[in-house]
Amino acid sequence: MAQPVVQIQQLQKRFGKFQALKDITMTVNAGEVFGFIGPNGAGKSTTIRTLLGILKKSGGQATIFGKDVWSDAVAIHKRLAYVPGDVYLWPNLSGGEVIDLLLKLNGQKHSALTDTLIQDFALDVTKKSRTYSKGNRQKVALIAAFSTDADLYIFDEPTSGLDPLMEEVFQKHVLALKAAGKSILLSSHILSEVERMCDRIGIIREGQIIETGSLEDMRQLSRTQITVTTAQDPAAIGQLAAVHRFNQTGHKATFAVDSEQLDAVMTALTPLGIQQLQSTPPTLEDLFLRYYNQEEA
Ligand SMILES: Nc1ncnc2c1ncn2[C@@H]1O[C@H](COP(=O)(O)OP(=O)(O)OP(=O)(O)O)[C@@H](O)[C@H]1O
Ligand SMILES: [Mg+2]
């Protein structure tokens, strides 16, 4: 298999006595969109700032393109584009001037793609940066990043200020990067965005990665919600070990099933005469809340 684009092993970061990162181990592979999610203060931005060489690690390893993120930062940055959640711009330059300056600083040129992006994001580039709202400042940084020809794109909550229409535009351009074989690390609190776009997800809590994998893998580890109506009394289903939170009203039952045991539960249901059945796989939100709250661990 090709070398991972981002490789982080047991990364640690202390701020004085406070250990913000305890054990971050994760990889971003070439050509994938990796979603980085976790509650406020979990360490997402600290991990990203360490990757960018803005912060120096206290322990562990972190490489991008096989190079050390601290000592080889200059070489890495030639192939990387980054958009932070809080975008600060030069207040006296217009949006258009800032975009061109950001591109120039990255050794890039204003291209036809840049114009398309300005149109897609519906940004008035003639206004001074200081007059821009949070969402408009984010658009400036996004336009510059998306028109940069890089191999890795790192977005740290880039859509926190965007309206739903612009969120769509953002997703469209991320998927275009992915189609072009680029790698993307995306931290986000918008779980529908992560669910829709990410090939794999890392969940971070209190400075530790507590789960990584594809959404499918994570669903496998979780429970599917079932609502079923049977011809015969379904009470016996509630006795199965794989069935949880069993509730019955007449011949209608609702319960959760360990996803890997679905088959056995269906086999037990069939002789009862299934009349109606609805199954709902866990959403990323269910998974997130479960990991976050440590429920049903
Ligand atoms: N420069 C710093 N000095 C001291 N503590 C810091 C510093 N930067 C971050 N921290 C602390 O490290 C922890 C992780 O912060 P971080 O910004 O990485 O969280 P996050 O996961 O990005 O959260 P959010 O979702 O709110 O953006 C927090 O407790 C934060 O207060
Ligand atoms: Mg953050």
Side-chain angles (χ1 to χ4, degrees):
M1 205 172 137
Q3 181 194 45
V5 173
V6 180
Q7 190 149 32
I8 310 176
Q9 273 164 335
Q10 296 178 318
L11 184 69
Q12 300 183 4
K13 176 65 195 175
R14 277 187 300 275
F15 294 108
K17 279 192 181 149
F18 178 68
Q19 181 126 24
L21 303 182
K22 292 172 193 147
D23 178 7
I24 304 294
T25 299
M26 61 187 216
T27 53
V28 179
N29 298 313
E32 82 177 352
V33 184
F34 187 92
F36 197 23
I37 62 177
N40 293 125
K44 300 177 296 295
S45 298
T46 303
T47 303
I48 288 174
R49 287 196 198 106
T50 311
L51 287 178
L52 293 167
I54 300 170
L55 293 174
K56 192 173 182 181
K57 71 182 182 202
S58 312
Q61 296 292 327
T63 60
I64 295 180
F65 311 128
K67 297 184 166 76
D68 183 81
V69 293
W70 181 259
S71 52
D72 293 327
V74 176
I76 291 169
H77 279 256
K78 289 185 178 141
R79 299 169 58 192
L80 185 147
Y82 164 61
V83 178
D86 302 308
V87 176
Y88 295 98
L89 306 172
W90 295 267
N92 289 321
L93 298 186
S94 71
E97 287 168 333
V98 173
I99 290 168
D100 289 348
L101 181 58
L102 287 171
L103 285 171
K104 205 168 158 187
L105 289 172
N106 272 314
Q108 307 280 323
K109 286 204 171 71
H110 187 118
S111 65
L113 174 61
T114 315
D115 292 326
T116 307
L117 284 158
I118 290 169
Q119 273 196 342
D120 280 4
F121 279 106
L123 180 73
D124 181 348
V125 290
T126 61
K127 286 195 176 154
K128 294 274 191 227
S129 288
R130 83 169 98 79
T131 69
Y132 280 148
S133 63
K134 174 184 164 84
N136 281 330
R137 288 197 301 274
Q138 278 185 324
K139 287 181 187 180
V140 169
L142 285 169
I143 291 165
F146 281 124
S147 37
T148 297
D149 181 20
D151 294 314
L152 172 66
Y153 296 78
I154 297 180
F155 299 107
D156 189 1
E157 283 180 55
T159 54
S160 48
L162 297 188
D163 65 47
L165 216 62
M166 291 304 135
E167 167 78 33
E168 283 282 311
V169 174
F170 170 76
Q171 294 186 9
K172 176 181 125 182
H173 286 284
V174 170
L175 293 174
L177 289 178
K178 185 186 158 183
K182 310 295 191 173
S183 311
I184 294 118
L185 172 60
L186 167 67
S187 107
S188 176
H189 287 297
I190 302 175
L191 297 180
S192 59
E193 167 182 285
V194 172
E195 195 159 8
R196 179 167 167 208
M197 289 195 297
C198 296
D199 302 294
R200 289 192 314 125
I201 295 157
I203 301 180
I204 179 174
R205 188 178 56 205
E206 293 174 6
Q208 278 177 294
I209 294 284
I210 52 172
E211 192 70 53
T212 59
S214 70
L215 192 53
E216 280 318 303
D217 294 341
M218 289 191 192
R219 281 189 172 136
Q220 232 22 69
L221 296 172
S222 194
R223 290 171 185 169
T224 302
Q225 188 66 34
I226 305 276
T227 303
V228 67
T229 308
T230 47
Q232 294 172 42
D233 186 351
I237 299 298
Q239 305 305 313
L240 299 173
V243 170
H244 308 269
R245 286 183 273 125
F246 185 82
N247 244 304
Q248 185 180 349
T249 323
H251 283 192
K252 183 175 177 180
T254 61
F255 50 89
V257 182
D258 298 327
S259 298
E260 71 271 25
Q261 298 289 332
L262 263 176
D263 207 31
V265 174
M266 288 303 133
T267 307
L269 272 173
T270 309
L272 302 177
I274 300 172
Q275 295 177 332
Q276 264 194 356
L277 183 132
Q278 191 192 20
S279 99
T280 319
T283 62
L284 184 55
E285 202 150 347
D286 296 333
L287 292 171
F288 182 80
L289 289 174
R290 190 179 133 202
Y291 284 118
Y292 181 24
N293 294 326
Q294 266 185 315
E295 282 179 6
E296 311 178 57

